[in-house]
Amino acid sequence: MPARPVDRCQRPWNKGLLVGQKKPLEPKHVWSIRVRLEIALSMRDLAIFNLAIDSKLRACDLVKLRLDDICSGTNVRRRATIVQKKTGRPVQFEISEQSRNSVEAWLPTLRATGSRYLFPTRIHASPHISTRQYARLVQSWVKSIGLESGSYGTHPLRRTKAAQIYRKTGSLRAVQLLLGHTKLESTVRYLGIEVDDALNMAEQIEL
């Protein structure tokens, strides 16, 4: 079979796109987005954003959060446990006071819908927002504070708090548990740890 001629004018699929692991948000970005959502009185979006940062969940798990996953009666719990779709393993996460407050502000509107899910959608085919809808929200949030939307996405949101925990503690094991990774090697790749990171930590230790 003759070889297929190469079309040298064909546009590469990744031309103009950011290829590779996207970076997490910095604390100043988190606060900027949070303030904008508070000013806009976007109760649902603020609850999604805060829970995304705290929970460190994949998009597929975040959009499927239900009331009984994080609430006991009318109270939002301080910790929650869900079973991850990708691994089938349970993972625990903390719910900060900031997240609890935003969820509690969203609950009256949510309960009026009668939905079991925290983030319902108007689309009849699904009881909750889709990962695509969530991705569009993330794009709008980063654009609102002047960031390049192509440089961020739903996965960087999952990594945001994990990256800060690692920077402050240097504990890969803690981050592994919080992200629900089965292998430590996955956590190392996920955080994008380089030799410089290891050397910086080593330089802070004196014996």
Side-chain angles (χ1 to χ4, degrees):
M1 184 175 177
R4 185 178 178 180
V6 176
D7 182 1
R8 299 192 183 279
C9 297
Q10 187 176 3
R11 184 180 187 275
W13 70 269
N14 58 0
K15 185 175 181 179
L17 300 178
L18 182 67
V19 180
Q21 189 159 257
K22 297 180 180 181
K23 54 191 175 184
L25 293 174
E26 294 295 330
K28 62 182 179 181
H29 301 147
V30 173
W31 282 102
S32 293
I33 291 172
R34 192 173 279 149
V35 167
R36 284 181 177 271
L37 293 175
E38 288 174 349
I39 292 173
L41 299 178
S42 301
M43 296 298 101
R44 186 201 65 168
D45 287 12
L46 184 59
I48 296 175
F49 179 72
N50 283 337
L51 278 177
I53 297 296
D54 270 355
S55 69
K56 302 165 287 292
L57 291 174
R58 296 178 181 89
C60 61
D61 293 320
L62 181 72
V63 299
K64 291 182 180 178
L65 281 175
R66 296 175 299 177
L67 273 169
D68 56 10
D69 286 329
I70 68 167
C71 294
S72 297
T74 58
N75 297 320
V76 180
R77 295 197 289 269
R78 293 176 178 271
R79 293 183 181 179
T81 303
I82 70 155
V83 176
Q84 301 170 98
K85 179 182 178 181
K86 182 176 180 179
T87 65
R89 294 166 61 92
V91 65
Q92 294 186 57
F93 58 89
E94 75 286 0
I95 305 175
S96 66
E97 182 179 3
Q98 194 139 227
S99 289
R100 294 197 302 274
N101 290 341
S102 60
V103 171
E104 286 169 1
W106 165 238
L107 285 180
T109 303
L110 175 63
R111 289 200 165 104
T113 69
S115 173
R116 295 183 300 118
Y117 291 90
L118 271 174
F119 310 119
T121 180
R122 296 189 183 96
I123 300 172
H124 297 298
S126 174
H128 55 76
I129 65 171
S130 66
T131 53
R132 182 170 293 183
Q133 285 176 288
Y134 172 48
R136 285 198 292 264
L137 286 175
V138 173
Q139 294 294 300
S140 68
W141 296 336
V142 297
K143 281 183 180 178
S144 73
I145 60 169
L147 295 177
E148 175 55 53
S149 60
S151 301
Y152 299 90
T154 60
H155 232 50
L157 237 65
R158 167 168 154 79
R159 292 172 53 225
T160 291
K161 194 167 185 178
Q164 290 300 316
I165 291 169
Y166 175 69
R167 286 177 189 173
K168 292 182 178 180
T169 67
S171 175
L172 279 172
R173 176 58 177 162
V175 176
Q176 178 192 11
L177 291 171
L178 292 169
L179 290 174
H181 286 162
T182 54
K183 296 181 179 179
L184 196 61
E185 292 85 350
S186 300
T187 308
V188 171
R189 289 194 302 271
Y190 200 75
L191 292 174
I193 295 171
E194 304 290 348
V195 173
D196 283 346
D197 297 315
L199 289 173
N200 286 336
M201 282 188 282
E203 287 171 350
Q204 295 173 28
I205 305 298
E206 294 185 6
L207 292 176

